[in-house]
Amino acid sequence: MNMQGELQLGADELAVQRWRADFPILQTCVHGKPLVYLDNAATTQKPLAVIEAEDRYYRHDNSNVHRGVHSLSQRATDAFEAARVKVQRLLNAASPNEIVFVRGTTEAINLVAQSYGRSRLREGDEIIVSGLEHHSNIVPWQMLCQQVGAKLRVIPVNDAGELKLEAYERLFGPHTRMVALAHVSNALGTVVPVKAMTDIAHAHDVPVLLDGAQAIAHVPVDVQALDCDFYAFSSHKLYGPMGVGVLYGKAELLNAMPPYQGGGDMIRSVSFEHTEYNVLPFKFEAGTPNVAGVIGLGAAIDYLSAIGFEAIAAHEHALLVYATRAVEQIPGLRLIGTAHDKTGILSFVLKDAHAHDVGTILDHQGIAIRTGHHCAMPLMERFGVPATARASFALYNTRREADALVAGLEKVVELFNT
Ligand code: PMP
């Protein structure tokens, strides 16, 4: 892990106090203690700008999109489509038509597996995934494998929680048809070298889907520079509303793919004999979308752009370095995931305490962390643990909160040693 971020800590702490004021929930107390929210990899809290954007929409503009000629519907449609352009710019996609709104990362991956995968893959074909994946980048491919008779091949993980790249290269063969990789691991924080891995896949003429759920708020994402074929993320991990996500896909691929779901909005004309599908991106957006959620996502992107993604990443890295050094001093604590390149995620086990006990004891001190298998059961098995405790940082976390985590963990150790 790069330790240089530490020097910036003082300056960041001043800025972070200003950012904290934008998040009303951070004033909450839990069990009589001020909330220390360190479960950001599960979902991030929402700034006022996002809450107010949804509120404003429902108070003033609520209407269905792409349908009415009346003013409210026009306003709702304009705001909805403006959010699409914000996502396009965030990802540096070539066109807003390459941005498909879905429910979340999970739905985006299922869309690609069922639409692209089912129309292109045949018996004996192979899909490469990695040992770091969240269940939502495993199970949709497994379902596809069952449907068409394809097979999953898995890139192994080293003891630091990094992918073994030589092994990755060896997995390619004449039947490899798809590579699906996490950009950042949700359980360990490992940043995967997705650009190099995409280049390798393309050298074998294989398309790449990147699961960006844990990357989008923490590392720069430029889909044209990455040259990935698909990129998926969830709004709620980017300080935006739940129930909204994005599938980016290269236009030529999306154009060639059959629709995922049928219904309103995804058609140009329908008769009982024949249906003509709509153009991109509407072909993949059947039914009434989460308009308020999409507008809220647009507000989140504006909010984060004003702060600056680089400033946020620098702050989170400094916090990771600081907290890593501190928790390493705790007797009996084993860090799971010590990759060279990591986002602000600390996954660990304590010698005598089950992860759930750790989580419960911390909760009584107002500290929210995640415990369990983190929807990455094969990864837990790789490290020989049933579960870990995971603290994950966001832009509003402070050094004092990292200290509270360490003090809480020391209390756990004390309780289990007496
Ligand atoms: N992939 C990764 C890496 C994740 O962390 C998550 C959420 N924990 C998902 C996919 C699924 O995201 P969602 O539940 O928002 O669809």
Side-chain angles (χ1 to χ4, degrees), residues 99-267:
I99 305 300
V100 178
F101 287 121
V102 289
R103 274 195 306 131
T105 310
T106 304
E107 189 173 47
I109 298 171
N110 277 280
L111 190 164
V112 177
Q114 287 302 306
S115 170
Y116 181 89
R118 217 162 168 180
S119 60
R120 305 271 182 119
L121 272 68
R122 299 281 168 267
E123 189 164 357
D125 284 347
E126 293 177 355
I127 301 161
I128 297 178
V129 297
S130 91
L132 288 173
E133 300 311 316
H134 187 281
H135 296 162
S136 63
N137 204 23
I138 300 173
V139 183
W141 303 112
Q142 259 171 351
M143 290 165 65
L144 172 66
C145 286
Q146 281 161 12
Q147 287 157 348
V148 303
K151 277 183 286 193
L152 275 192
R153 309 290 310 268
V154 183
I155 311 164
V157 175
N158 72 16
D159 291 342
E162 296 161 328
L163 295 183
K164 295 186 179 175
L165 294 185
E166 329 74 57
Y168 168 60
E169 292 211 57
R170 286 198 298 272
L171 288 178
F172 284 90
H175 301 291
T176 313
R177 297 284 176 262
M178 172 61 86
V179 170
L181 298 171
H183 192 171
V184 171
S185 152
N186 68 310
L188 310 183
T190 308
V191 180
V192 173
V194 288
K195 169 64 180 148
M197 293 176 79
T198 299
D199 289 347
I200 290 168
H202 286 172
H204 291 87
D205 258 338
V206 175
V208 176
L209 173 139
L210 298 179
D211 168 355
Q214 296 295 335
I216 193 71
H218 309 286
V219 300
V221 177
D222 178 332
V223 291
Q224 292 190 76
L226 289 170
D227 197 27
C228 57
D229 300 278
F230 302 101
Y231 197 95
F233 76 87
S234 301
S235 149
H236 71 95
K237 313 242 189 209
L238 187 67
Y239 307 89
M242 287 186 171
V244 171
V246 168
L247 172 68
Y248 157 82
K250 284 181 180 166
E252 57 175 302
L253 285 171
L254 291 177
N255 267 321
M257 284 158 55
Y260 172 54
Q261 293 178 330
D265 244 26
M266 53 76 71
I267 55 87

Side-chain angles (χ1 to χ4, degrees), residues 74-88:
Q74 294 283 350
R75 287 214 296 271
T77 303
D78 288 350
F80 184 82
E81 290 306 323
R84 198 188 304 276
V85 173
K86 289 173 192 183
V87 174
Q88 177 211 349

